[in-house]
Amino acid sequence: MSFAILSLSFVALASAQSVVSLSPAAKATDASGVSSVLDPSFAGFGIEPSNLFSFTGGTNANQLSVNLLQNLAGYAGAPPHIRLGGNTGDYMIYDSTFNDYSLENNPHSAGRGFIASDSMIFGPSYFKALDRFPKNTPVTFGLNLAYQESDYINNIVKEAAAALNGMTNVKLVSFEIGNEPDLYLKNSLRNGSWSGQVYTQEFLERAAAVYEQVLKPAGIGATFFETPATASTLGTTFEVNDLVQDGLTATTNGLNYVSAWNQHDYFYFIGVSTVPITLDDLMYLDNTNSQFQYWESQVANGLATGLPYVLREMCSVGPIGMHGISDTFGASLWTLNFFMFAASLNISSVQMHMTDNSNASAWQPIPMYGNEPFVRPMYYAHAAVAQLIGNGNGTTQIGVLNTNSVKADYTGRIRAYVAYASGSLRSLVLINGRPVNASDTGKGSFTFSLSLPDYANQNLYLSYLTADGADSLSGTTWNGISYESSNDGTPKTANSTITTIPIGSNGNVAVTVRDSQAVIANIGWLLGSNAVLTPNSTSPTLGTTHTGAKKSAAVTSAAGTSTALLSSAVTTTVALMNSVSSGFGDATPGPKPTGIAGRAWRRGRILSVVVGIGAVVLGLVCVA
């Protein structure tokens, strides 16, 4: 009778937990839907052209921006890709005689558009400022397509030559021609005859001129242009297949100009999206899949042409974010998930767009809204992805695991991804997107039950992307590191604890992730503790080891299934007891008793936990 009670208590304890069982393939070749190898610069940023000096600094460098980008370069093996483009790129013309570290209103503007296509002037200092970013930062630069006065060819050639010759520290890798030409009619930059076919003709004419007069003399090939930088293609003439039919990717005079398909998206866009948004909506990760469903077909069509597909303008909330949503820790979890989701679709690069007045920018580069410059939680997701990619030293691939079978409370909130290095399983990215606020007590958790038989008796090292709650605006840490505790973005250790979990002799291991938290579990060592090499080199990247970065410690693995199971059971039990002792907790639905009844309820909860431990121990003794 006693044994039956113990067994039933154990079953009740197990069923009360939210668990998903996952069995990732040990080799990338045995897994389905694994991405191509990720470029170290995969997770990058877009900067609105008119805001460049806010991020680089004017006459003096913006050290916050420089340090934050250098952090990521050291983690990933290369600096993040920067796309310098946006609406304002189609309002700017180049003047070689203008040397201020600023933009100037054009007193002789003649271009068309609600905002004239030549309304702003920039000069050589624009590229001197850009050159402050880490060495060899890959840059995609947007050229002005909107301008169509009689000297439009001369203007775009001057602009392209200035960009190519002005970038000596960073590295120009591609040109865009125009920003979101699908919206040119709406913005009054073109008249009613405008279409994807007309755009194709204008694109090819300008690409040919830039190649012949700028790229060819510099020994650079013609395939240097990304197209079409569109914001919306559904129901327009700017879909990938339409533009292919129009001849955009065809050989022209023996040359191919298009190097990649470049499109834009936002999870939510103020003034365009038709329903309100909440943080809960953003953290319901199934919404990301639904919102991006149409674009998945564009990705597939683009890849079918043999060209890479890049998402050069993306973010949670556009155009300038929304306080309490895009600047929260919940948005950081969304960002981590989106990078993994995009990689699993074989999108080659993603740039999260930044303006100096946006609550969705990864950091605030200048004083704004009564605040001094600071780092937002979103930046920490970039750091996590950079370390994950750098961990594979140029061989990282991403795959997605099926988490559809979770309990109702977690439906649409749970994601699991795998990272392969040199073709072998190396890391698991585990995301719990169930929202809890910083003020909530007794936060719930979700358990990922993993089967890793090829890695039996090894250790998982856990790196946490965490904050007090989904609504936290500060206090985020990644892998125990804070970037906001200093004024200049340099990393500081906030938590030096190294958390490991032994994998049982049968390969089983359980990882518990708190609500509104993510964990990257790396097999064998702590993520970020090994030297990261520059691509195609044996030299470590500049900034690989940062002051305050945690170091991996030697930890003896607990051998045997019994020890691993007991460790997992005790961890779960301690979490439950903490929940009981600190309050009733959100993990248990329904109204909670108070007063005498409440104390009895808590004692009952504690007793059931103790009985559960007894059942586990007894079961292990029997197995032994």
Side-chain angles (χ1 to χ4, degrees):
M1 178 68 72
S2 298
F3 181 77
I5 293 174
L6 287 171
S7 298
L8 288 173
S9 297
F10 176 71
V11 171
L13 177 65
S15 64
Q17 300 175 29
S18 296
V19 182
V20 67
S21 297
L22 304 171
S23 300
K27 299 293 182 182
T29 52
D30 296 329
S32 60
V34 176
S35 74
S36 300
V37 170
L38 295 187
D39 188 281
S41 301
F42 166 79
F45 301 97
I47 298 178
E48 188 66 35
S50 62
N51 290 178
L52 178 68
F53 291 114
S54 294
F55 287 92
T56 62
T59 53
N60 297 311
N62 185 318
Q63 205 58 46
L64 174 66
S65 294
V66 173
N67 288 343
L68 290 173
L69 292 172
Q70 188 61 63
N71 293 340
L72 303 180
Y75 294 159
H81 194 119
I82 300 294
R83 179 246 181 177
L84 194 55
N87 286 339
T88 57
D90 272 331
Y91 309 149
M92 295 164 54
I93 59 172
Y94 181 75
D95 182 349
S96 62
T97 67
F98 178 67
N99 290 307
D100 290 358
Y101 282 88
S102 63
L103 301 181
E104 182 180 71
N105 289 329
N106 183 3
H108 307 294
S109 174
R112 63 177 296 145
F114 290 131
I115 299 177
S117 57
D118 60 349
S119 58
M120 292 183 285
I121 294 172
F122 70 107
S125 296
Y126 195 81
F127 301 104
K128 294 178 183 177
L130 181 60
D131 247 3
R132 294 168 180 162
F133 285 167
K135 186 174 180 60
N136 291 326
T137 294
V139 175
T140 294
F141 186 83
L143 302 174
N144 189 334
L145 171 66
Y147 184 76
Q148 57 176 349
E149 301 307 303
S150 59
D151 61 341
Y152 68 90
I153 290 294
N154 182 55
N155 182 74
I156 199 170
V157 166
K158 284 196 305 181
E159 188 178 6
L164 179 63
N165 297 326
M167 298 185 204
T168 59
N169 184 55
V170 300
K171 184 178 181 181
L172 178 67
V173 296
S174 57
F175 283 128
E176 291 178 352
I177 296 181
N179 176 74
E180 299 175 359
D182 51 305
L183 301 181
Y184 274 16
L185 288 178
K186 180 179 179 180
N187 296 329
S188 194
L189 294 170
R190 290 293 187 273
N191 58 28
S193 64
W194 184 247
S195 66
Q197 186 176 34
V198 177
Y199 159 76
T200 296
Q201 296 167 358
E202 293 195 9
F203 171 92
L204 292 174
E205 179 191 25
R206 287 161 174 77
V210 169
Y211 169 65
E212 291 293 338
Q213 299 183 51
V214 179
L215 299 177
K216 185 177 180 180
I220 299 173
T223 309
F224 202 77
F225 302 89
E226 296 181 5
T227 185
T230 45
S232 175
T233 62
L234 183 62
T236 73
T237 57
F238 286 85
E239 292 194 18
V240 168
N241 289 343
D242 293 333
L243 296 175
V244 170
Q245 187 173 353
D246 291 336
L248 190 66
T249 57
T251 299
T252 305
N253 297 323
L255 299 172
N256 294 98
Y257 295 109
V258 178
S259 61
W261 293 102
N262 171 336
Q263 292 183 332
H264 303 167
D265 192 25
Y266 287 81
F267 176 80
Y268 185 91
F269 205 90
I270 299 170
V272 175
S273 300
T274 57
V275 296
I277 185 175
T278 67
L279 182 56
D280 183 83
D281 295 331
L282 185 67
M283 295 180 65
Y284 189 79
L285 301 178
D286 276 4
N287 284 341
T288 295
N289 294 68
S290 300
Q291 187 270 347
F292 207 77
Q293 186 174 8
Y294 163 73
W295 291 106
E296 289 190 45
S297 67
Q298 289 292 284
V299 175
N301 292 339
L303 294 177
T305 67
L307 295 172
Y309 182 102
V310 295
L311 198 59
R312 292 285 188 229
E313 186 170 325
M314 183 67 197
C315 214
S316 56
V317 180
I320 60 169
M322 187 178 293
H323 178 58
I325 297 178
S326 60
D327 55 356
T328 66
F329 177 66
S332 185
L333 294 175
W334 175 87
T335 302
L336 173 62
N337 176 69
F338 190 85
F339 279 136
M340 296 295 97
F341 169 67
S344 73
L345 296 178
N346 261 325
I347 295 175
S348 296
S349 187
V350 178
Q351 278 61 53
M352 293 295 177
H353 199 61
M354 300 197 295
T355 63
D356 60 13
N357 64 340
S358 175
N359 278 303
S361 297
W363 65 94
Q364 183 63 56
I366 60 174
M368 184 71 63
Y369 306 126
N371 298 314
E372 291 300 307
F374 67 97
V375 180
R376 291 190 176 90
M378 178 182 167
Y379 175 80
Y380 291 80
H382 283 262
V385 174
Q387 282 197 334
L388 181 70
I389 293 175
N391 194 45
N393 271 327
T395 68
T396 300
Q397 297 171 267
I398 300 297
V400 59
L401 299 176
N402 189 328
T403 56
N404 292 335
S405 61
V406 303
K407 289 174 57 178
D409 287 351
Y410 287 90
T411 299
R413 307 286 186 184
I414 300 300
R415 289 294 185 273
Y417 300 90
V418 286
Y420 292 92
S422 300
S424 297
L425 181 64
R426 177 52 53 201
S427 308
L428 297 105
V429 182
L430 310 174
I431 304 173
N432 181 348
R434 188 181 186 193
V436 290
N437 290 335
S439 60
D440 293 337
T441 57
K443 296 178 176 68
S445 62
F446 188 90
T447 298
F448 295 82
S449 180
L450 309 173
S451 177
L452 309 171
D454 289 64
Y455 302 93
N457 297 320
Q458 297 190 43
N459 279 326
L460 285 182
Y461 285 74
L462 306 186
S463 297
Y464 291 86
L465 178 61
T466 191
D468 288 342
D471 60 340
S472 294
L473 302 177
S474 61
T476 301
T477 59
W478 155 248
N479 209 2
I481 299 171
S482 170
Y483 304 94
E484 59 198 76
S485 56
S486 60
N487 294 325
D488 60 0
T490 54
K492 302 294 183 184
T493 298
N495 183 352
S496 59
T497 302
I498 297 176
T499 304
T500 65
I501 300 180
I503 303 171
S505 60
N506 61 356
N508 292 337
V509 62
V511 180
T512 299
V513 183
R514 195 205 72 195
D515 292 350
S516 297
Q517 191 180 67
V519 169
I520 298 183
N522 195 60
I523 301 170
W525 61 81
L526 181 68
L527 202 66
S529 61
N530 290 349
V532 179
L533 306 181
T534 55
N536 305 313
S537 170
T538 57
S539 302
T541 58
L542 179 64
T544 296
T545 303
H546 292 293
T547 302
K550 293 195 297 184
K551 296 289 185 271
S552 179
V555 178
T556 304
S557 298
T561 307
S562 300
T563 307
L565 286 172
L566 181 58
S567 173
S568 177
V570 170
T571 300
T572 303
T573 301
V574 169
L576 286 171
M577 291 187 71
N578 285 338
S579 174
V580 172
S581 63
S582 61
F584 295 116
D586 293 337
T588 305
K592 311 301 186 298
T594 58
I596 296 174
R599 290 193 293 273
W601 184 87
R602 282 190 290 270
R603 286 196 297 270
R605 291 267 287 173
I606 295 171
L607 179 60
S608 67
V609 169
V610 173
V611 170
I613 294 176
V616 174
V617 174
L618 181 59
L620 293 174
V621 170
C622 292
V623 170

